[in-house]
């Protein structure tokens, strides 16, 4: 995700596709949660938060009730903290009523190794005790390194490890798209 | 950021804003049921206190424990230092025990610098106050308190203190808090005025990035914050003012003077306060006085500093240029 923007990156989902995918996921959440009255959406910064807010809007359109939505920063729970310089933190914002006995749906843009979600589950444990935790992702690109799977998937995108998947959302990047590119070997001399 | 935190002047504007933003996230953790993060698990931090302290030592210890670090407390009393052990030998003992960071308070100015640059120990050093030199985490927590009060909790994210006016009153000569605050507030864009009797203004103050005044009443009406300093009797070896009553009358903050500072301005004090000397009980207990808030913010700010220095394989990077300077 951190790879520089490739000029030959190919869009695999465009704006309208993303909107349709989110509508479908919202319906699936309502169906599986039998009305979704105890659902709390928690987005993982940065783009997961925007996706969670969009999903909350769709859920409100379907159920007519406002769904609590928040953000969960997992930086302090990462297992690779000591591989890089200390990172800036993002906002953790838990809705006022907390997450105890709720159905928490974690929302992220890309599911890859699964390590982010592992960290998110640890973070949730320090915040309360949800009734259940589910996972919604816009893109599942495979290559899991942990026994973790998503409950709601926008698009399954089989990739090779040499490829990059970049999600762009209008809130952050000015447009909606999922781009598939090829990682270029890092130029020598650069970290 | 640099590897050690010895002086508030070590921080660039971006470093300082990053610490304040990180502290804001740490503060949000305070209302959680489990006030603990696993981030520094398995790291050992030694609090090396050669000089008395309640606030700072407890604050560092709380911050370290909330980040899950293992804490070793060392105070000079009851240790081999009272038998004549040198700083070098103490440092080498700690290095042999495998300490990952050292928080040091010392009555000699420059002791933390010596520890960081001597090669005795290869761990980040955080200055928790040295002599009359620096107390950088105090300056950071003061800036954090100011930003929260004057700009706002959420509105303050990413912001500095540009254009804010801070008046620091009292024993500037012996105050490491004043030195650190002048450096940091200047870095953050604030305008600082020092107010003190001429005998308590240090030599060379004209090279500091601040104004100096001897008259408290003229400085009060145009400031956003007043920071009162304690008169440090334990460091005084001469008579700097005739009587305590005279000092208190000219440089103490009472209710009458407080009424003359602008409505939105806050009264700060790094503690410990001497009620009746530099501040009256009425002012100390008023809602405009941030003393207790500063103590709470101290834990968040120190958590932020510890996380940014020890949370990765090297300190947080704010801008590419700051990194090349270091090497």
């Amino acid at each position: 995700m951190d790879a520089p923007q490739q000029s030959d990156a190919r869009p695999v989902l465009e704006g309208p596709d993303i909107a349709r995918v989110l509508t479908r996921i919202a319906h699936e959440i309502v169906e599986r949660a039998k009305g979704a009255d105890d659902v709390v959406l928690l987005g993982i910064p940065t783009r997961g938060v925007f996706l969670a807010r969009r999903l909350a809007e769709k859920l409100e359109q379907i159920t007519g009730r406002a769904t609590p939505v928040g953000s969960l920063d997992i930086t302090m729970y990462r297992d690779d903290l000591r591989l890089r310089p200390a990172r800036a933190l993002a906002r953790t914002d838990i809705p006022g009523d907390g997450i105890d006995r709720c159905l928490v749906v974690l929302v992220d843009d890309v599911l890859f190794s699964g390590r982010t979600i592992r960290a998110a589950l640890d973070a949730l444990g320090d915040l309360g005790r949800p009734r259940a935790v589910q996972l919604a992702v816009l893109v599942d690109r495979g290559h899991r390194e942990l026994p973790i799977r998503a409950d709601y998937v926008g698009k399954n995108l089989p990739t090779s490890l040499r490829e990059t998947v970049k999600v762009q959302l209008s809130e952050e990047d000015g447009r909606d798209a999922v781009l598939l590119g090829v990682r270029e070997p890092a130029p020598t001399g650069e970290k | 950021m640099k590897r050690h935190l010895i002086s508030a002047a070590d921080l660039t504007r971006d470093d300082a804003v990053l610490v304040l933003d990180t502290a804001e996230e740490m503060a949000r953790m305070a209302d959680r049921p489990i006030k603990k993060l696993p981030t520094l698990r398995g790291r050992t931090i030694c609090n090396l206190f050669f000089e008395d302290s309640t606030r700072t030592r407890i604050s560092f210890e709380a911050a370290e424990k909330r980040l899950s670090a293992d804490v070793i407390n060392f105070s000079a009393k009851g240790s081999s230092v009272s038998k004549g052990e040198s700083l070098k030998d103490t440092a080498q003992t700690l290095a042999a025990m495998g300490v990952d960071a050292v928080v040091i308070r010392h009555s000699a100015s420059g002791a933390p610098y010596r520890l960081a640059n001597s090669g005795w120990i290869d761990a980040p050093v955080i200055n928790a106050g040295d002599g009359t030199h620096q107390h950088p985490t105090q300056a950071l927590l003061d800036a954090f308190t100011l930003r929260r009060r004057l700009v706002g909790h959420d509105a303050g994210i990413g912001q500095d203190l540009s254009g804010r006016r801070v008046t620091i009153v009292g024993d500037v000569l012996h105050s490491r808090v004043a030195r650190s605050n002048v450096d940091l507030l200047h870095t953050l864009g604030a305008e600082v005025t020092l107010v003190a009797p001429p005998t308590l203004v240090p030599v060379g103050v004209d090279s500091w990035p601040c104004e100096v005044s001897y008259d408290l009443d003229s400085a009060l009406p145009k400031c956003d914050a007043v920071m009162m300093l304690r008169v440090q009797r334990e460091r005084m070896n001469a008579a700097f003012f005739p009587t305590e009553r005279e000092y208190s009358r000219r440089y103490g903050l009472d209710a009458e003077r407080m009424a003359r500072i602008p409505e939105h301005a806050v009264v700060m004090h790094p503690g410990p306060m001497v009620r009746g000397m530099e501040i009256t009980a009425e002012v100390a207990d008023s809602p405009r006085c941030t003393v207790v808030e500063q103590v709470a913010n101290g834990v968040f700010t120190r958590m932020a500093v510890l996380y940014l220095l020890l949370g990765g394989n090297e300190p947080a990077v704010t801008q590419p240029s700051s990194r090349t300077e270091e090497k």
Side-chain angles (χ1 to χ4, degrees):
Chain A
M1 257 171 38
D2 295 329
Q5 181 60 57
Q6 304 295 313
S7 53
D8 55 349
R10 174 168 63 85
V12 285
L13 287 181
E14 306 264 16
D17 305 321
I18 291 178
R20 271 193 295 275
V21 155
L22 289 177
T23 309
R24 193 196 78 229
I25 291 178
H27 279 283
E28 285 176 8
I29 291 173
V30 175
E31 187 185 354
R32 278 191 50 183
K34 300 199 170 58
D37 38 356
D38 61 349
V39 167
V40 176
L41 294 167
L42 289 182
I44 296 173
T46 314
R47 291 178 183 74
V49 181
F50 301 127
L51 290 173
R53 288 192 195 136
R54 292 190 193 185
L55 268 178
E57 268 173 46
K58 307 256 184 212
L59 283 176
E60 189 169 355
Q61 283 165 18
I62 299 164
T63 64
R65 282 186 314 273
T67 304
V69 55
S71 63
L72 180 67
D73 178 46
I74 53 101
T75 309
M76 309 267 278
Y77 293 85
R78 299 186 73 101
D79 60 3
D80 60 350
L81 278 172
R82 294 193 200 178
L83 301 180
R84 288 210 263 153
R87 284 166 251 220
L89 303 180
R91 175 54 52 95
T92 294
D93 198 3
I94 303 301
D97 294 335
I99 55 168
D100 284 337
R101 291 180 295 282
C102 292
L103 171 61
V104 170
V105 180
L106 294 170
V107 185
D108 202 2
D109 51 358
V110 181
L111 180 58
F112 187 17
S113 65
R115 288 176 190 266
T116 303
I117 304 306
R118 199 275 316 159
L121 292 172
D122 281 0
L124 274 183
D126 285 354
L127 287 165
R129 187 173 185 280
R131 174 172 71 78
V133 182
Q134 296 180 345
L135 173 63
V137 295
L138 186 59
V139 176
D140 179 353
R141 66 166 293 187
H143 304 288
R144 213 77 75 240
E145 291 164 6
L146 293 170
I148 280 170
R149 64 167 179 78
D151 300 88
Y152 314 100
V153 179
K155 186 174 176 65
N156 279 303
L157 194 62
T159 57
S160 85
L161 282 170
R162 286 180 50 249
E163 286 170 314
T164 61
V165 176
K166 172 86 186 147
V167 171
Q168 294 186 320
L169 294 174
S170 52
E171 292 94 330
E172 177 86 4
D173 313 286
R175 69 155 178 167
D176 282 1
V178 177
L179 302 172
L180 183 62
V182 179
R183 191 191 307 270
E184 277 182 6
T188 47
E190 195 183 295
K191 266 193 183 173
Chain B
M1 283 174 83
K2 293 191 180 173
R3 190 159 168 264
H4 308 287
L5 182 58
I6 305 299
S7 160
D10 291 344
L11 298 166
T12 64
R13 183 222 170 248
D14 290 350
D15 290 340
V17 170
L18 178 64
V19 173
L20 303 190
D21 290 352
T22 307
E24 193 65 61
E25 298 307 325
M26 298 295 182
R28 299 173 69 86
M29 210 192 66
D31 357 295
R32 291 195 191 174
I34 298 174
K35 298 179 187 54
K36 206 164 170 84
L37 292 158
T39 316
L40 297 184
R41 241 182 90 218
R43 302 240 174 160
T44 307
I45 302 177
C46 182
N47 298 326
L48 200 52
F49 278 68
F50 291 96
E51 195 187 64
D52 294 340
S53 162
T54 30
R55 228 168 307 268
T56 308
R57 191 177 57 76
I58 293 172
S59 179
F60 265 110
E61 189 172 346
E64 288 151 7
K65 287 184 169 168
R66 286 194 185 175
L67 291 171
S68 303
D70 295 318
V71 182
I72 300 175
N73 282 315
F74 172 103
S75 60
K77 274 179 206 142
S79 73
S80 295
V81 172
S82 52
K83 299 175 191 162
E85 192 177 59
S86 69
L87 179 62
K88 178 178 180 178
D89 292 323
T90 307
Q92 285 176 337
T93 306
L94 295 176
M97 287 178 186
V99 167
D100 295 298
V102 179
V103 175
I104 176 173
R105 158 157 304 191
H106 204 291
S107 55
S109 302
Y113 180 87
R114 186 87 174 107
L115 190 62
N117 292 287
S118 57
W120 297 332
I121 186 169
D122 181 37
V125 174
I126 299 171
N127 182 359
D130 60 332
T132 58
H133 175 226
Q134 282 277 336
H135 193 355
T137 56
Q138 178 72 40
L140 284 164
L141 78 87
D142 288 339
F144 180 68
T145 308
L146 271 175
R147 195 178 79 170
R148 284 193 129 192
R149 279 289 189 118
L150 300 178
V151 189
H153 293 200
D154 285 346
I157 296 284
Q159 304 288 313
D160 57 19
L161 294 168
S162 22
R164 310 285 167 172
R165 285 176 296 201
V166 182
T167 304
I168 302 177
V169 189
D171 183 1
V172 176
L173 180 63
H174 299 105
S175 177
R176 52 195 175 212
V177 176
R179 281 167 182 75
S180 289
N181 262 303
V182 168
D183 287 337
L184 187 72
L185 289 170
H186 173 72
T187 305
L188 288 170
E191 296 161 25
V192 184
T193 307
L194 300 176
V195 179
T199 49
L200 289 175
V201 174
V203 175
V205 77
D206 35 310
S207 65
W208 296 12
C210 62
E211 305 276 306
V212 179
S213 161
Y214 304 134
D215 179 25
L216 179 56
D217 290 302
S218 66
L220 285 180
K222 49 179 197 297
C223 63
D224 299 298
V226 194
M227 194 179 292
M228 304 307 296
L229 300 173
R230 184 174 62 90
V231 176
Q232 301 195 30
R233 291 219 151 265
E234 72 277 19
R235 292 186 214 279
M236 289 186 178
N237 49 9
F240 290 89
F241 44 83
T243 63
E244 293 193 349
R245 267 188 68 192
E246 179 167 342
Y247 177 87
S248 173
R249 202 165 58 234
R250 296 193 56 185
Y251 295 100
L253 191 64
D254 55 16
E256 195 195 323
R257 280 209 171 99
M258 191 171 69
R260 265 179 272 150
I261 63 177
E263 194 84 344
H264 68 278
V266 292
V267 177
M268 307 176 74
H269 196 301
M273 292 188 280
V274 182
R275 288 170 184 242
M277 182 68 178
E278 72 272 8
I279 192 164
T280 63
E282 197 180 353
V283 176
D285 297 329
S286 85
R288 298 175 73 175
C289 181
T290 60
V291 177
V292 181
E293 208 175 309
Q294 281 168 272
V295 175
N297 290 344
V299 178
F300 309 141
T301 313
R302 291 180 175 118
M303 285 172 77
V305 168
L306 290 166
Y307 168 68
L308 292 172
L309 290 184
L310 304 174
N313 59 354
E314 52 183 294
V317 180
T318 43
Q319 53 194 31
S321 60
S322 68
R323 197 160 155 186
T324 46
E325 278 167 25
E326 239 174 85
K327 292 189 176 167

